[in-house]
Amino acid sequence: FNFGGSVLSSSRFSSSASSSSGVTAGGLRGGRRLGRVIHPVREPLKVGQSGDAILVPHNETIIESNLNAKHDNADIVSTCRPAHLAQNKFVSLLLDEARRRLDELHKDDANKGNGNLALEDSISDEYLRYDEEVTHISESKDFPSQQPIIAIETSKGKTYHTRYLVAADGVHSPTRKHYHIPMNGEASIQNLINVHFRTNEALSKLLMGNSTTNPTSPISLNERNGENHQAMLHFIYNSKLVGVFVCHDGNHGEWVLQIPFFPPFQTMDDFTEEKVRGMIWAGLGIHPTNDNIASAINSNDEYRFDILSLRPWTMSSLVAQKYVNDSNTVVLAGDAAHAFPPAGGFGMNTGLQDAHNLAWRLTLLLKNEASGSSLINAKSILGKYERDRKPIASQNAALSVRNYQRTLRIARACYLDAQHPQLLIKLLDSPPINFLPLHSRREMFQKLVQVAMMPLRSLEACSTASKSLHANYIESNVRAILESGGSLPLVFPSSEIGFAYDEEKNNWNPNAAMDTAGYVPRVKVGHRLPHVVVEVFDASKDQNVCLTERDVASMKVHSEKGFSDCISLADISSQLRQKLSVVDPIFNLLPVFSENIDDRTNTAKLIKSIADEFEMNTVVTPVFPKRPRSKFEGVVLVDKNQKLYTLAKREALPGTADNSNDLIAIIMVRPDGHVASVSWIHEAYANDNNSYNYSDQIRGAIKDGLAHSIGHETI
């Protein structure tokens, strides 16, 4: 993240430097750089590594791998690294994937001899409805079952009937309003103008620091010295603009600018396209010498940008009062269920977690109803979705508000206080001033705001900027905050990876100082099964399970033999479902054996036979410290370093897992990769019926896991 008078730093341009286009320093001036922080995103995160940013010292370079230097010997927490993905890009990826799946359906149908154009069109209509708005929702009873049926009418004149409806229709969700589900929290924290714009190739190269090939130019010298001017967020403070530039894809010119907005004393007339263009140029640090911005830019169009959208929005912190309607047929997900300040990127991530938790539940529910089984009902399994996800949304809402407040600290360091405009609005709305016409009070507001921003001219590039005492004070204030860890964090390991579905901690509210705490893996109910690299071995064939090229690309986990035979335990149920070509979601039962137990496969077979008694799709996958000597019908996992066993034993309660060498951990993992139950049994008692009923212990472990997953008290 960069903090300063503009996106372009004045250090990049000397008073006599000129760009390749001939635009002199009078046009490319840049602003004063107040500070730059880097986050641990380039290298894989390590166990215990915090998400704190580091302030880059003056005229020095920090290699980002140094961020986790003190954790060099620690394990990585995931095969994945943090990534910056704009929501519009993600929607495009989802749409492409949906179309790819449709193509596969078409091919499968054609292979069965049913392929024809009319059928393909019907499949497209049935499975992919894009750019189609819901206009009306109604609910009725099916005859003769008397089950609720939802009718959905769309903008294309079509009507669809469904048993269940997932409302992922945004923060202003018409579906949520239709079912009278209120939102709780703070509805209006700040009003902003969102400006989506795209720069042309020349401007993109300039902003990304690669606009020149002249080896003696200031830009190239800075690059060769390791100074990096690229950033994801640019917090800008100058006399013409206070706002945040979000660089979604700088190489392709994809940018967003967020500008504070204060209705009713500001209106969209104050943010016409021409006025906003002037703010963008000032914020980028490109100041045309001609007072008429439009003509100055048009006269030299090498650097250009197009405004794609310009709209107001309201920052809020809200969570739906409930996620499921009274008839258990409509489920809220994504922004329809929660709305956060964008600081921290929790909005889309929380929505993805919603979908991850919900999809397998709906699949099991529909399969269960189709089979006539009474094991699963909508009230229990969808109620469990709400009990899982609503506390997480509340935690993320609070964390996002704290992140937003961190940005206000930086503004106060620039002698800007977010409370001042609110106090001014309150004053203008109070007698006797409120007797003045609204347009007069608007003029007063605008002039007072301009006066408040005028001292920020010291952060704009000019020959005396470096000598400004005011700018020096601001820089000192900002850097003091950044150096003490007061910057806006980007990575939150304990919340993003370590979140857990623990109903005993629904009111969990960590100290703000713990927001960026490192992630420590835990084998505990509700937590994600940790990342542990294991070998996949088919014990029935005495050979490794070869992974596909797509598996290799997604996993990128090394083993002694390369990529071909290792996976991560993270999201193990989903991975094994792909390996075993299982269509439906699976519960994964992991009997984890210590190295001191010799006869492992017989016990694994017993556990597998007991798991087969249940109606749920449960796959038993033993975890051994080395390859088994005898045959086992199915896939086994080899954890040579016994990391999973060690993590599980670390969590065991006193008296549950003693120091005996014959303990077996039975871990049930839900289809979404979260731990459903952890039980411990003694291998030595497997054939000793006088000690306790060994089989009943195993059944109890499975029942506990299924009950926790689908929301039943008992099974």
Side-chain angles (χ1 to χ4, degrees), residues 279-548:
M279 295 178 186
I280 292 174
W281 286 122
L284 294 179
I286 300 177
H287 303 264
T289 54
N290 191 318
D291 290 337
N292 187 330
I293 292 175
S295 63
I297 297 303
N298 289 334
S299 64
N300 179 6
D301 62 357
E302 177 173 0
Y303 297 126
R304 288 182 291 104
F305 61 83
D306 296 317
I307 294 180
L308 306 179
S309 67
L310 198 162
R311 60 179 181 83
W313 67 284
T314 302
M315 182 191 298
S316 57
S317 177
L318 299 167
V319 177
Q321 190 174 89
K322 58 183 181 179
Y323 279 27
V324 185
N325 71 333
D326 293 337
S327 59
N328 299 300
T329 56
V330 177
V331 190
L332 304 182
D335 288 353
H338 42 73
F340 312 143
F346 278 95
M348 189 169 75
N349 282 317
T350 308
L352 293 175
Q353 293 168 10
D354 292 342
H356 195 220
N357 188 295
L358 179 60
W360 63 271
R361 297 182 184 279
L362 287 173
T363 302
L364 292 181
L365 180 58
L366 293 171
K367 293 280 185 181
N368 187 82
E369 290 181 349
S371 67
S373 171
S374 59
L375 178 62
I376 299 174
N377 62 72
K379 184 176 181 180
S380 63
I381 197 167
L382 297 182
K384 184 63 168 74
Y385 161 74
E386 178 179 310
R387 294 195 301 276
D388 275 359
R389 294 303 307 156
K390 186 178 174 183
I392 301 298
S394 298
Q395 294 166 20
N396 290 347
L399 200 160
S400 298
V401 170
R402 292 195 293 273
N403 290 338
Y404 169 67
Q405 291 169 346
R406 289 182 175 102
T407 68
L408 301 184
R409 284 189 64 196
I410 303 295
R412 287 194 292 272
C414 298
Y415 304 106
L416 297 172
D417 195 320
Q419 295 299 317
H420 291 169
Q422 301 301 330
L423 292 173
L424 180 56
I425 289 172
K426 186 176 181 179
L427 176 66
L428 294 174
D429 274 337
S430 303
I433 299 179
N434 64 344
F435 292 115
L436 293 173
L438 180 58
H439 69 86
S440 298
R441 287 181 286 152
R442 282 177 176 166
E443 289 179 3
M444 293 173 61
F445 181 87
Q446 297 281 16
K447 289 179 180 178
L448 289 171
V449 168
Q450 289 174 6
V451 170
M453 292 174 63
M454 196 174 298
L456 295 178
R457 291 187 62 184
S458 64
L459 301 182
E460 299 168 16
C462 60
S463 58
T464 59
S466 60
K467 302 176 183 178
S468 168
L469 188 62
H470 183 263
N472 292 342
Y473 275 127
I474 290 178
E475 182 174 353
S476 177
N477 293 341
V478 170
R479 295 187 70 85
I481 293 174
L482 299 179
E483 197 162 19
S484 65
S487 169
L488 177 65
L490 183 61
V491 181
F492 306 84
S494 61
S495 296
E496 293 173 318
I497 305 177
F499 71 93
Y501 300 136
D502 186 348
E503 294 184 28
E504 296 178 0
K505 293 186 177 180
N506 281 359
N507 295 319
W508 178 70
N509 187 16
N511 188 296
M514 298 298 292
D515 284 347
T516 57
Y519 163 72
V520 177
R522 304 184 69 179
V523 180
K524 186 177 180 181
V525 173
H527 289 251
R528 288 163 54 94
L529 193 67
H531 164 66
V532 175
V533 178
V534 293
E535 181 183 7
V536 187
F537 186 76
D538 188 340
S540 63
K541 299 178 181 178
D542 194 26
Q543 65 183 27
N544 290 355
V545 175
C546 292
L547 308 184
T548 66

Side-chain angles (χ1 to χ4, degrees), residues 232-246:
M232 191 186 97
L233 293 185
H234 298 263
F235 294 83
I236 304 304
Y237 309 95
N238 65 49
S239 64
K240 297 180 179 62
L241 173 71
V242 172
V244 181
F245 285 90
V246 185

Side-chain angles (χ1 to χ4, degrees), residues 111-188:
N111 291 335
K112 295 175 183 178
N114 298 323
N116 61 71
L117 183 60
L119 184 58
E120 291 184 3
D121 288 342
S122 68
I123 290 177
S124 297
D125 289 342
E126 181 180 357
Y127 288 102
L128 181 58
R129 294 182 282 271
Y130 183 70
D131 197 24
E132 188 171 355
E133 183 181 359
V134 174
T135 57
H136 184 70
I137 299 173
S138 60
E139 192 169 315
S140 60
K141 296 286 186 179
D142 181 42
F143 182 83
S145 69
Q146 293 301 299
Q147 289 184 332
I149 295 294
I150 301 171
I152 303 168
E153 298 175 20
T154 75
S155 56
K156 294 186 177 180
K158 296 182 179 181
T159 300
Y160 303 98
H161 295 88
T162 182
R163 179 77 174 87
Y164 298 102
L165 176 65
V166 179
D169 48 350
V171 66
H172 301 295
S173 171
T175 310
R176 187 189 65 234
K177 294 175 182 177
H178 175 82
Y179 285 94
H180 307 290
I181 300 176
M183 297 285 274
N184 298 329
E186 194 169 354
S188 180

Side-chain angles (χ1 to χ4, degrees), residues 55-68:
L55 175 65
V56 177
H58 280 302
N59 302 320
E60 291 186 28
T61 300
I62 288 183
I63 300 173
E64 296 189 35
S65 59
N66 292 346
L67 286 167
N68 60 10

